[in-house]
Each structure stands twice: as structure tokens, then as C-alpha cells.
Amino acid sequence: MAFTLMTLPALAQDSSEPSKAHPLDWTDIKEVPPELRDDRCIDCQGRYMDPLRDVDTSVSPDNAPINADASEVELYENTAILSGGVSLTQGYRQMRADQVSLDRLESMGILEGNITLREPGILLRGERAQIYSETGVASIESSQWVLHNLHMRGSANILERDKDGLLHIHDGELSYCAPNENEWLIQAEKLELNVEEGLAVARGAKIRIADVPIIYLPWIQFPIDDRRRSGVLWPDVGSDSRGGIDVAMPVYWNAAPNYDLLYTPRYIEERGINHEAKAQYLNPVLGSWTVGGAFMDNDKRYEDDYPSERNYDRWLAVVRQNGLFEERWRSQIDYSKASDVNYMKDLQTSSLDSKRRTALLQLGALDYLGDQWMATLEVQQFQSLADDINNDYKKLPQLTGRYRPDGTPFEIDPIFLAQYSNFDTDTNRVTGERIYTEAGATYPMLWTYGFFKPTAKYRYLSYDLDKHNNFREQAPDAGAPMINLDAGLFFDRDTELFGNSMVQTLEPRLYYLYSKYQDQTGNPDFDSAELTFTYNQLFRETRFSGRDRIDDSDQLSVGITTRFIDQEDGREEFNASLGQIFYFRDREVRLGRKDPPLASGGSEVAGELSFFPNERLSARTSVVWDPYSDKVNSGNFFTSYQRDNGSIYNVGYTYRRPLTTVITAQPPTEEAHFSFYVPTSQNWSVFAAVNYSIEAGESVEDMFGVEYDTCCWKVRLLHLRYYDNTAGENPGFIDPTLEREDSTQVQIVLKGMGGVGSRASSIMKDMIRGFTDSEY
């Protein structure tokens, strides 16, 4: 072992460890650089700062010479004794002590008094240590230790580091809390930390909270970073009026880097045990797969609620796949099927959106992406989750081919699309085949000051229907030419907005659309609907979704948009759009055979506005106003404000007036939304969300709760109330059988270790827009 001795005055100090530094490298938040103040630093009011964090670690120190500084040196045959503020360096490895004995034959050193051992990311302290320089093996008595990057600290009666870098702690402790805060910790007879693998094993372990032992575990293995690990995960605990006490205990198996499995037995007090499983697989050829499901044998609550059912077993199957092979072949599977229409309401308790789904998608698709052509083969059907809604038509299959124009300015782009669809259904409705084609050309002209894009094409639709009493003709067809002219100009000027230098644009746009009328009263409606009118509808070439109608048109859309763009960073801070369609003849093509033509004249006036003055505040609104009846048909407003301390405030309002030919007047739908998440002090936060039906004068769903968040643990208590209504619709409050459901969730997180009750954070993300949970 080579080493160099230098005698220095006893008062000399190593610049890497200032005399006023905290013994565990803890730095108050006031001294932490702003770019390093993350959420954890703010909660803890500080962080562990590694003085060696910028050191080059590409060269191992094991074979490097030892340089030693000391005020006194005594040399013997094979031993050197250094004393008086000893400092040793070996590559990026640093050692300090009151006295050091170096044995050159054994390549070993004994350190005594105020020992400090450092490597990037790790600090070890103690009273006496024995270190082998060639292997890095060390043994330290009465030790304290810190792993800076993991925000982890601990202590040990004896701490050993073996040649592989594993830390063996005897009679020690581990915590993610700040120094001198032991709100939770693990005490263990033996504790092994593998920093490279991110894994810890404890034997004879006690978890203590507020210095009270909560649980004793003879053996436990747990991760110390965010890498995937096999094992038992933290449970989910909650209570819901649809099932009572609800406890789930996930078990995770990390079988391989590209394959894992999660099994979750879940006890629901009033129902039984639900066995839930999910497997994930990733393959460069086959793509990413998720296969999962759940099964409950004889749901007791379901049997009580629906005694007329013959089978009370509940199950759910899910298959999802996404793949891209050789950048040409793209595949997708999205398949879900449940045992009954009430499965999602009863058993999907972590999300209101899931509970209110009205159908489960069952889709398989394969795309070929050519340079100029795209082909898609698709099969699709739905499982209805509502007793009063029929299953939608099945597409078994649908084949689409289309030409992909490159949009080069001032060059003719061909247009071609052909689609074959076969529609089937389990109900007594017409079935059959449909062929839709369109062919034509477009000529895009683009300038810096505007654009003009004329398009002409012919659309053709034909059917081969199975016999049905409601359809006399089995092979109806229709075809019509279509022309549209899309033109716009761009004006801009320098201006100011709230004292900031801006570029304001003014963008008028005209869109003329003509399509000849063809009688289509004998056509079925397999997958089409009339689109809801919005500003974007001004510039669409059809007012229908799906391919069952070739609409007739002779109309001109007029729209104008203005934007304010920050000259300094190019960020758009404000935009507003307003427009209307003028119809030059009645629109006779409708979905229903008896639906009257839509009169000529003008459409409603549609407007949109967005305001983003900074990264914290945003506001969006849209309105559809009928100038002929002087009534607002629909509108919405939503604004969100987020502060640097994590506060979130949301306010929203939606209005929709039913547009119906039914004589009985229906009231408009009005709903207000309020939600917030507000830290009231360094540790306490309150949160709530309300979706309030204005016409009913009652809340449709509301949630409120409190959170206590410290440096090393967090607890949330949440209570949710809701009605079993379809998403986006208000329930029938006059229904005497309507009952409000409720759910109570508790979440406890021991930071760095995980926690109980992830359903609470899922509900908060659903109901408080912009809320994101901490990553630790």
C-alpha cells in the first residue's frame, strides 16, 4: 500500500468539511440552492447535501495511493501512527479521525476518535473503525450513516461494509426523517443495505411510530429506491356504502425486466373475497401487453340486491396491447368484459369515472403505415353496462384504406378513401354490410400572410342489408359531389398586454361547403350521430359522425381568431375565436326518417376564449348562442389557479339547453364545480370538491378531506358522497328510490417505504384538476 505523509498544523481543516457543517450533512432550506429545493426539501425544511456530489466517480479508488495529512507522525517498521486531525484521501474516498494506525503489510488502517468516512452518496461516522484500503472492507463501531440521494439515515452499534459495497448493520436503526426527528423508524437486530440493487433486508425488525412499536417482523425485505421489486406491497384500506369495509393486499412478482405480475386478494365486508390479477409483458416484436381480471365467488351483497339472478359469481376480464413492428405495422387490442352490468359500479371503487362507464370497449385493430398509403383492419363491439341501453352495433370487421397526402404547398394532392364495414347485433335490428368511398383532389396554397385550400371530391355510400321488416330496400345507395374552399389571412401587430410586449394576431377565415342532396331515407344508422355544434364544427366537411349519411350542404362559415403572443418567450397568453355558419338552403338529410329538414338561415354563434397570463393561472370558456331565439344553448367556463406552495383552486360552470322536438319542455342542465387543495400550514392541508346541480339545488357529488404531511410521513382522511348517475348527467332527484352513496378512505404514507390507501389519491386526482401526488 503506497501512501504519502505530510505534517500540517493541528488547526488545519479540510475544505470539503467545514467546521460549522452539520455532522450528517444536513443543510437548512435557507442554504439550499433554489434549483435543489424539491417538495421533500420544503416539507423537511432542508436536505442532505453531499459535498462529493460533483466528484468524478469513473475511476475506482481501490488501487489509488493514500495521501495522508496529520500534525504528528510516528513511524515504525511496517506501521505509521498519525495523530492530531488526521485526513486521508484515496481517490474519491475520504477518511478523517483523531488518530490513525496504518499497517502497510496488511493494507489496513485503524481509525479512532471522531471518525468520518466519505464516498459520493454515502457518509459513515463512528468512534472506532478498521478499514482495508485495497478492498474497501470496513467495520465501524458506534456508527451513524447517511445515504444522501435516498434521503436516508440511521445508526448502528456495529456497521460493516463488505468488499461488494453492502452495508451490514448490527443493532441499528433506519429512517427517512430529518435528523433529530424520529416520527417513524425501523429498528433491527440485523439490517443489510444493498445500495447498488436498491434493496434492504431486516431481521428482528420493529417499526416504531412516534417512538411507539407498532409491529414486529422477524424478517422483511423492502426497496430503498423506486425500482420494481417482488414482494408484498402496502395494503389498501377503505369503506364504501356499496360493500362496507374494503381491504386489499397486493402481492407483486417482478419476474423479469420485461414481465411482471400483480395479484391482489381483496376482502369486501358485505360481498366476499375478490381475486384480482394483472400481468404485464413487453416484447420488441409483440409490443406491450396487459392481461388482467378479477373473480369473486358468490357475491353475498349482489345476491341480496338481485335475488332474481341465477348466478352470483362476479368477474372482469381485461386485455390491452399496443405494438409497432418495423415502423410499419401498428397493432392495438383494448378488450374488457364484465359478468354483469353492475360490476363497475359495485367493485371499481377507486374512480368515479370507472363507476359511471356505460359500456366496455372490445376492440382489435391492425394498421399498415406505408409511405403514401395506410390500411386498417378493425373489429369492434361494446358491452353495455346500462339496462336501458342496447348494445351498439358490432363491426366484424371493418377494413379501411386511404391515401396519405404529404400536403406540399402548390402541388395537387390526391384524395382517396375506401371502407368496408360489416355490422351485426344481438338485438332485433337491421344488420348488413356498408361500403363507403371518396375520391378527389386538393390543392393547398400557403403564404406567410394566409392560405387558400380548394378541395373537390365525390362521396359514395352503398349497403347490402339483411332482410328486416323496417327496411324494404336491401341495397340502398347514395352518392354526391362535394366542394369546399378554405381560406384565411394572418395579420399581426406589436402591442402590450398588462405591461408586457406582445404580438397580436388577427386571423379571419372563410369556409365554403357545397354538397348535393341525395335521398337517404332508406339508409340505416349503424354508427352515426349528428355532431354537437361548437366553434370547430364551423370548418368540418360533415355535420355527422360515422359514415351512414352523406350530408347536403350549401353554406359559408365565417370565423375570426385573435391571439396575444409574448415577444420574449413566444408563449401564447390569450386567444379568442368567434364564428357562425350561413346556410343558403335547407339541410334535408337527417338521421331519422321522420326528422324534418333543418331550415336555412344561420347557425348558432360559437365562441371560445382562453387566457394563460402565467404558468399558475388559466381560464377557458366557450359559448353557443342562438341569435334567432336570443338564447344560450350551451356554455362552459373553467379556471384554475395554482400557487408556488402547492395550492390549487378550480372553479367551473357548464350549461346546456336540451334541443329537442318533444313538446314537453325539458329544463336546462346547469352544473357548477368547485375544488381546491390548500396547505393551511407547513404540515396541514385541506381539500374538497363539489359538483353542484343548479337546477336541482343539490350536490351531485362532493368530496372533502384533510391531510397532515411531515418530512417523513403523511396521512389523509377523505370522505366522498355521490349519486349513481351516468357521467356528465344529473340524476333524477324526484326518483324516490334514489339514494346517495358514500365512501371513506384513509391513506397513510411512511415516506421512503410506501403506505396504505392509494384509493384516496386516485379519487383526489379525479375530482381536483391539476392535483398530483408527491413522488415519495
Side-chain angles (χ1 to χ4, degrees):
M1 175 180 66
F3 61 88
T4 303
L5 298 180
M6 300 177 61
T7 58
L8 297 175
L11 295 179
Q13 296 289 337
D14 187 341
S15 61
S16 68
E17 189 142 8
S19 59
K20 294 183 180 180
H22 191 281
L24 296 180
D25 294 338
W26 183 260
T27 303
D28 187 87
I29 191 171
K30 297 177 182 177
E31 306 298 327
V32 176
E35 63 272 14
L36 298 179
R37 296 178 188 175
D38 55 15
D39 290 343
R40 170 171 276 171
C41 180
I42 295 171
D43 284 343
C44 297
Q45 291 296 290
R47 67 177 299 164
Y48 297 106
M49 297 285 289
D50 182 8
L52 303 182
R53 60 186 177 275
D54 297 324
V55 170
D56 181 12
T57 59
S58 60
V59 179
S60 173
D62 292 341
N63 298 320
I66 295 179
N67 297 314
D69 293 344
S71 59
E72 297 181 12
V73 178
E74 298 180 25
L75 297 176
Y76 298 96
E77 291 183 359
N78 295 309
T79 304
I81 299 177
L82 296 77
S83 59
V86 184
S87 176
L88 307 176
T89 59
Q90 185 185 20
Y92 58 69
R93 187 177 293 154
Q94 297 183 2
M95 295 163 275
R96 295 172 60 87
D98 292 340
Q99 179 175 301
V100 177
S101 298
L102 298 175
D103 188 325
R104 287 180 289 183
L105 290 180
E106 299 291 334
S107 298
M108 182 265 289
I110 296 177
L111 289 71
E112 296 181 289
N114 298 313
I115 297 167
T116 301
L117 304 180
R118 286 191 181 279
E119 290 186 12
I122 184 170
L123 166 65
L124 307 177
R125 288 188 175 274
E127 292 302 317
R128 189 177 189 278
Q130 184 172 302
I131 301 174
Y132 291 87
S133 62
E134 292 184 357
T135 62
V137 172
S139 175
I140 307 174
E141 300 175 7
S142 302
S143 173
Q144 290 182 296
W145 52 272
V146 173
L147 301 179
H148 303 82
N149 297 334
L150 300 177
H151 200 278
M152 182 190 298
R153 65 168 175 87
S155 62
N157 186 24
I158 297 177
L159 185 149
E160 298 175 333
R161 188 178 72 170
D162 62 24
K163 63 181 180 179
D164 297 321
L166 272 66
L167 299 180
H168 302 269
I169 296 168
H170 302 268
D171 294 327
E173 298 176 348
L174 174 152
S175 179
Y176 287 81
C177 299
N180 302 319
E181 294 183 13
N182 290 323
E183 297 183 22
W184 80 265
L185 57 83
I186 294 178
Q187 288 182 330
E189 298 173 5
K190 293 182 180 180
L191 185 63
E192 180 182 293
L193 301 180
N194 189 333
V195 180
E196 290 294 323
E197 295 294 327
L199 197 63
V201 175
R203 294 175 174 83
K206 297 177 184 177
I207 297 179
R208 304 179 70 95
I209 297 179
D211 205 31
V212 177
I214 300 300
I215 187 172
Y216 172 81
L217 299 167
W219 182 91
I220 182 175
Q221 183 182 70
F222 56 93
I224 56 176
D225 59 22
D226 57 1
R227 280 176 282 185
R228 299 183 304 165
R229 298 292 175 193
S230 299
V232 179
L233 306 183
W234 289 89
D236 260 330
V237 179
S239 177
D240 192 287
S241 59
R242 300 191 73 92
I245 296 173
D246 191 332
V247 181
M249 180 64 73
V251 180
Y252 179 72
W253 179 36
N254 184 33
N258 66 327
Y259 175 76
D260 61 14
L261 177 66
L262 180 68
Y263 167 65
T264 306
R266 178 180 167 198
Y267 170 76
I268 305 175
E269 180 185 13
E270 299 177 15
R271 298 185 180 277
I273 297 178
N274 199 34
H275 301 273
E276 303 174 358
K278 180 174 74 171
Q280 298 182 110
Y281 176 73
L282 180 63
N283 184 279
V285 176
L286 301 177
S288 63
W289 288 79
T290 298
V291 179
F295 178 78
M296 175 181 288
D297 181 25
N298 192 27
D299 183 338
K300 296 178 291 184
R301 170 75 178 266
Y302 188 61
E303 183 177 0
D304 294 338
D305 291 344
Y306 303 95
S308 61
E309 294 288 333
R310 296 183 178 182
N311 191 341
Y312 303 107
D313 294 342
R314 316 290 298 279
W315 53 266
L316 175 70
V318 177
V319 179
R320 292 191 174 93
Q321 186 268 351
N322 283 283
L324 182 62
F325 180 65
E326 294 185 346
E327 303 298 324
R328 293 291 189 186
W329 295 93
R330 182 174 60 195
S331 59
Q332 180 187 7
I333 297 174
D334 189 347
Y335 181 92
S336 300
K337 187 174 180 62
S339 57
D340 54 84
V341 297
N342 294 298
Y343 184 92
M344 304 298 285
K345 291 181 180 180
D346 292 343
L347 297 172
Q348 295 293 93
T349 58
S350 62
S351 168
L352 280 177
D353 288 341
S354 295
K355 294 171 74 70
R356 291 181 175 164
R357 293 173 65 178
T358 58
L360 295 178
L361 176 63
Q362 298 170 355
L363 168 72
L366 179 65
D367 298 331
Y368 174 74
L369 309 174
D371 293 333
Q372 297 292 329
W373 290 88
M374 176 178 175
T376 300
L377 176 64
E378 180 181 294
V379 291
Q380 175 183 287
Q381 64 183 25
F382 293 88
Q383 179 189 1
S384 174
L385 297 180
D387 290 324
D388 56 347
I389 298 178
N390 291 326
N391 288 325
D392 290 332
Y393 275 100
K394 308 172 185 178
K395 296 177 183 178
L396 301 173
Q398 178 170 281
L399 179 62
T400 306
R402 71 175 69 226
Y403 178 78
R404 303 170 67 188
D406 54 20
T408 303
F410 304 101
E411 291 186 7
I412 295 177
D413 268 336
I415 296 173
F416 179 79
L417 182 145
Q419 184 180 83
Y420 165 81
S421 307
N422 180 54
F423 293 95
D424 197 5
T425 181
D426 296 328
T427 60
N428 183 24
R429 291 183 291 172
V430 65
T431 59
E433 302 172 348
R434 182 186 71 195
I435 294 178
Y436 173 84
T437 58
E438 60 181 47
T442 183
Y443 187 72
M445 292 175 275
L446 306 178
W447 302 275
T448 56
Y449 55 84
F451 67 92
F452 179 53
K453 185 179 180 181
T455 301
K457 61 184 177 181
Y458 188 85
R459 297 179 291 177
Y460 179 74
L461 177 67
S462 66
Y463 293 90
D464 183 7
L465 302 179
D466 300 323
K467 290 184 178 181
H468 193 276
N469 293 334
N470 294 337
F471 291 84
R472 294 182 180 179
E473 190 177 355
Q474 292 183 251
D477 65 348
M482 187 208 75
I483 297 173
N484 70 63
L485 307 174
D486 192 4
L489 294 173
F490 305 118
F491 303 95
D492 63 74
R493 63 166 186 157
D494 294 336
T495 186
E496 289 189 355
L497 183 66
F498 303 118
N500 298 325
S501 297
M502 295 282 172
V503 173
Q504 182 189 7
T505 70
L506 193 65
E507 305 167 23
R509 183 176 179 183
L510 297 176
Y511 183 84
Y512 175 73
L513 177 64
Y514 174 83
S515 180
K516 187 177 179 181
Y517 168 74
Q518 283 283 299
D519 181 20
Q520 297 164 62
T521 55
N523 290 7
D525 175 13
F526 287 135
D527 64 353
S528 300
E530 295 194 51
L531 295 168
T532 301
F533 185 75
T534 64
Y535 182 81
N536 289 332
Q537 185 64 23
L538 270 63
F539 310 107
R540 288 177 58 97
E541 63 181 31
T542 177
R543 61 180 181 272
F544 297 101
S545 64
R547 306 288 189 186
D548 288 310
R549 295 293 183 271
I550 296 176
D551 49 338
D552 57 324
S553 305
D554 187 5
Q555 62 191 56
L556 176 68
S557 299
V558 179
I560 188 167
T561 297
T562 184
R563 309 176 197 272
F564 285 80
I565 302 171
D566 194 305
Q567 290 191 3
E568 183 175 341
D569 58 14
R571 188 171 59 88
E572 186 176 309
E573 296 192 6
F574 176 88
N575 65 66
S577 300
L578 188 70
Q580 185 180 12
I581 303 176
F582 297 95
Y583 303 108
F584 303 127
R585 73 175 188 213
D586 294 350
R587 289 147 290 154
E588 300 181 61
V589 177
R590 301 297 303 276
L591 275 180
R593 297 183 182 184
K594 297 181 180 180
D595 292 342
L598 297 171
S600 60
S603 73
E604 303 145 302
V605 176
E608 296 180 342
L609 184 149
S610 299
F611 183 42
F612 314 101
N614 51 55
E615 295 181 354
R616 296 185 298 274
L617 177 64
S618 66
R620 294 182 176 88
T621 185
S622 66
V623 65
V624 174
W625 171 65
D626 186 351
Y628 305 100
S629 64
D630 196 22
K631 291 182 178 180
V632 173
N633 289 338
S634 67
N636 68 76
F637 169 79
F638 191 90
T639 184
S640 179
Y641 178 67
Q642 301 186 26
R643 299 182 60 188
D644 292 337
N645 68 350
S647 298
I648 302 172
Y649 303 89
N650 296 316
V651 177
Y653 170 80
T654 59
Y655 172 89
R656 180 167 298 280
R657 186 167 62 90
L659 302 179
T660 177
T661 59
V662 179
I663 297 177
T664 304
Q666 299 182 19
T669 299
E670 289 186 87
E671 188 170 288
H673 171 86
F674 308 93
S675 62
F676 64 83
Y677 173 90
V678 180
T680 57
S681 65
Q682 181 177 331
N683 301 118
W684 285 96
S685 299
V686 295
F687 54 88
V690 177
N691 290 323
Y692 184 82
S693 171
I694 295 176
E695 71 270 25
E698 189 171 351
S699 169
V700 177
E701 56 196 26
D702 49 66
M703 176 268 292
F704 58 90
V706 295
E707 173 184 287
Y708 183 75
D709 190 359
T710 72
C711 175
C712 51
W713 69 287
K714 172 166 55 182
V715 61
R716 287 187 182 126
L717 177 63
L718 175 153
H719 186 72
L720 169 69
R721 303 187 308 162
Y722 60 95
Y723 286 106
D724 261 338
N725 62 297
T726 303
E729 297 182 1
N730 288 329
F733 291 101
I734 61 174
D735 184 354
T737 64
L738 184 66
E739 294 183 3
R740 189 188 291 270
E741 306 287 349
D742 63 82
S743 174
T744 300
Q745 304 292 334
V746 178
Q747 185 174 20
I748 301 173
V749 178
L750 303 182
K751 295 182 180 179
M753 288 285 291
V756 177
S758 62
R759 295 175 201 154
S761 58
S762 297
I763 293 172
M764 292 174 68
K765 292 175 184 177
D766 276 351
M767 299 196 65
I768 305 175
R769 183 180 296 186
F771 173 79
T772 56
D773 219 350
S774 300
E775 296 182 355
Y776 56 88

